[in-house]
Amino acid sequence: MKQNIAFFVGFNIICDNSKDYLVSGTHYQYLKYLSERFNVVYLICGVKLRKDEKGPNSYRVAELKNIEVVPLPEVKGLFNSLLNIKSYYKILKSVIDKVEYVYARVPDPFSWMPRLCFNKPTIMHFVGDTIDATKHNEKWNLLKKIIMILGYLPDYFLTILAARKSCVRVNGFHLAKKLKKWGVSAKPVISSTIAEKNMDDKHSQLPIEKEIIHICYVGYLRYAKGMNCLMSLCEELKNKKIAFKFHIVGNGEMYEDINCFISEKKLEDKVILYGHVDDRNKINEILRSCDLFFFPSLSEGSPRVVIEAMSQGVPVISTPVGSLPTTFVDNESIRFFNFNNSQEAAQLIDDYRHNTSKYIKQREFAYKEVKENYTIESFLSKVFTYEA
């Protein structure tokens, strides 16, 4: 007999002019998986009103007949959400007796509430590390980092208390190791949106273009994602007179910084800034048109964009961030460079020019690993299975 589950998350969905709820492609995949395995799925999340007809969220929740939206105030971060703590409590209370389990993401606001306030069986999924991300935020000075971490600690300690009584999943072995010190037993998972049936064994010919190296980055444009390193790399490649074309897909707090950088350094013919792209086919098309995937992140859980690049047959060069060093082997299925080291990254890109066959072998090894071990089916089956 199918059971009911509450999907309690800290992202926002869109309510458009037609009063339909819209979600991103990734979140739609999660909801579709849940709708097929549970009787009713109560989607408890922030709702943002959208006045125009354009936007990245294009999948309609109504297409999944057993998803019931339980709207929260628009989520604008943990500290802003503190103002709505009574609303969170009241809304959870209205749903809690209708479900057998609750899925809650960490570090989303009040992920501890279902277990500590209502003693409900909860799957707590640690998708990132707020403290680590704060430490690596290059925009903030030391004083602001200390203030932000101290402000977050009460919520963090409540989260740890709840996690000790919950079924815990974490994105990467490094997070499981960290939580073990706090007495939390956690099972590591590798985040993925790749469906095995959609994987194509035919890869693009490398190099893509003989005279120009095409490099791609997909993800948020934030300080903790290593965007300063990305900009430094562009300068390194230009100074070394290496012909390149950089494809940057994503949006975030540093979008304008990167846009200004492109203009100031006269890189308009070398860097393409796409902004946010929610069309999976379009992203795959961009990935397959590139020689290398560049990932300079400073703080991660399990970066699924790396998995996505590998699934499209693109060799990955990356910092040893998050779960990557315990998931993939350096010089076998991935190439690592040190954090904030654009010179080392440039050397790898130059190495690709002269030793392309090594990277072809690397991408074949990585593709096989992803297909065998890191599909969305494998990921979601582990995340949404409750174990007492």
Side-chain angles (χ1 to χ4, degrees):
M1 180 178 177
K2 287 186 177 181
Q3 298 173 312
N4 299 339
I5 189 171
F7 191 56
F8 178 43
V9 290
F11 57 72
N12 292 307
I13 61 175
I14 301 297
C15 183
D16 67 5
N17 286 337
S18 61
K19 305 300 182 184
D20 277 344
Y21 291 114
L22 308 176
V23 297
S24 69
T26 297
H27 296 148
Y28 184 84
Q29 289 188 64
Y30 295 168
L31 291 172
K32 186 173 185 296
Y33 180 90
L34 289 171
S35 73
E36 293 168 352
R37 286 157 180 80
F38 290 89
N39 186 41
V40 179
V41 179
Y42 293 91
L43 172 57
I44 308 174
C45 65
V47 173
K48 182 177 181 180
L49 298 177
R50 191 175 76 203
K51 296 179 181 179
D52 58 21
E53 293 299 326
K54 297 180 179 179
N57 303 81
S58 56
Y59 292 82
R60 299 187 181 279
V61 175
E63 293 176 5
L64 305 171
K65 301 302 182 184
N66 57 342
I67 305 293
E68 184 172 323
V69 176
V70 185
L72 289 168
E74 182 182 347
V75 180
K76 298 179 180 179
L78 174 61
F79 297 117
N80 185 269
S81 297
L82 287 172
L83 301 173
N84 297 310
I85 187 169
K86 289 184 179 179
S87 295
Y88 276 76
Y89 180 88
K90 196 185 233 180
I91 289 168
L92 270 172
K93 188 177 181 180
S94 70
V95 171
I96 212 75
D97 291 333
K98 301 176 183 177
V99 301
E100 281 71 34
Y101 307 111
V102 176
Y103 166 90
R105 296 197 324 173
V106 182
D108 290 354
F110 312 121
S111 58
W112 47 266
M113 199 175 274
R115 192 58 172 170
L116 293 188
C117 294
F118 303 103
N119 198 31
K120 200 70 180 180
T122 304
I123 299 169
M124 295 186 72
H125 183 194
F126 286 69
V127 299
D129 186 335
T130 296
I131 294 176
D132 186 60
T134 301
K135 289 178 180 177
H136 286 98
N137 192 325
E138 298 173 357
K139 188 178 182 180
W140 294 347
N141 59 35
L142 179 60
L143 178 60
K144 183 168 183 178
K145 290 179 181 181
I146 291 172
I147 292 171
M148 295 299 287
I149 290 173
L150 288 175
Y152 174 64
L153 284 180
D155 189 86
Y156 185 71
F157 287 136
L158 289 171
T159 300
I160 293 298
L161 287 175
R164 287 176 176 173
K165 302 178 180 181
S166 302
C167 172
V168 180
R169 302 288 183 262
V170 293
N171 283 2
F173 290 90
H174 63 299
L175 285 177
K177 187 176 180 181
K178 185 173 183 178
L179 288 173
K180 191 175 182 180
K181 295 177 181 178
W182 292 97
V184 177
S185 177
K187 179 180 287 188
V189 294
I190 303 300
S191 181
S192 175
T193 57
I194 306 302
E196 184 177 348
K197 65 180 181 181
N198 294 332
M199 294 185 72
D200 186 355
D201 293 349
K202 294 180 181 179
H203 298 146
S204 303
Q205 183 73 33
L206 293 182
I208 300 296
E209 188 176 351
K210 286 187 178 180
E211 303 301 323
I212 300 176
I213 296 179
H214 289 261
I215 309 161
C216 185
Y217 169 82
V218 178
Y220 291 113
L221 308 186
R222 296 173 179 166
Y223 287 90
K225 297 294 183 180
M227 292 300 98
N228 284 337
C229 181
L230 185 150
M231 289 186 283
S232 295
L233 175 63
C234 290
E235 287 196 89
E236 287 280 343
L237 296 174
K238 184 179 179 180
N239 293 337
K240 288 178 179 290
K241 301 190 184 313
I242 297 175
F244 72 96
K245 182 80 76 173
F246 218 124
H247 304 258
I248 303 174
V249 180
N251 208 339
E253 63 193 31
M254 288 192 69
Y255 181 91
E256 285 306 320
D257 297 70
I258 296 172
N259 205 18
C260 290
F261 167 80
I262 293 169
S263 179
E264 288 172 7
K265 301 298 180 181
K266 299 185 178 2
L267 293 170
E268 290 88 350
D269 63 330
K270 296 181 180 298
V271 182
I272 303 173
L273 198 54
Y274 292 84
H276 180 83
V277 177
D278 198 49
D279 185 338
R280 173 53 50 193
N281 291 330
K282 177 62 177 176
I283 292 176
N284 288 344
E285 181 184 319
I286 295 169
L287 285 169
R288 287 193 295 267
S289 70
C290 292
D291 298 274
L292 295 169
F293 185 80
F294 174 69
F295 197 68
S297 185
L298 306 173
S299 177
E300 291 288 335
S302 171
R304 66 172 179 266
V305 289
V306 169
I307 300 284
E308 290 167 2
M310 290 175 170
S311 77
Q312 298 304 309
V314 187
V316 174
I317 61 173
S318 170
T319 51
V321 68
S323 65
L324 293 181
T326 53
T327 305
F328 300 105
V329 178
D330 190 19
N331 287 312
E332 190 174 84
S333 52
I334 197 168
R335 293 288 197 284
F336 288 128
F337 61 92
N338 288 318
F339 297 100
N340 282 319
N341 196 326
S342 58
Q343 291 182 336
E344 195 174 336
Q347 288 172 2
L348 288 175
I349 291 170
D350 194 37
D351 182 50
Y352 168 83
R353 294 168 65 204
H354 301 100
N355 299 286
T356 307
S357 60
K358 283 199 314 185
Y359 292 82
I360 292 173
K361 186 176 181 181
Q362 173 190 321
R363 64 108 173 251
E364 290 173 351
F365 200 99
Y367 177 84
K368 183 180 178 183
E369 277 196 81
V370 169
K371 189 171 185 178
E372 292 179 354
N373 303 303
Y374 304 123
T375 60
I376 190 171
E377 293 87 358
S378 173
F379 168 59
L380 294 181
S381 66
K382 293 171 183 175
V383 168
F384 293 114
T385 300
Y386 182 86
E387 296 172 355

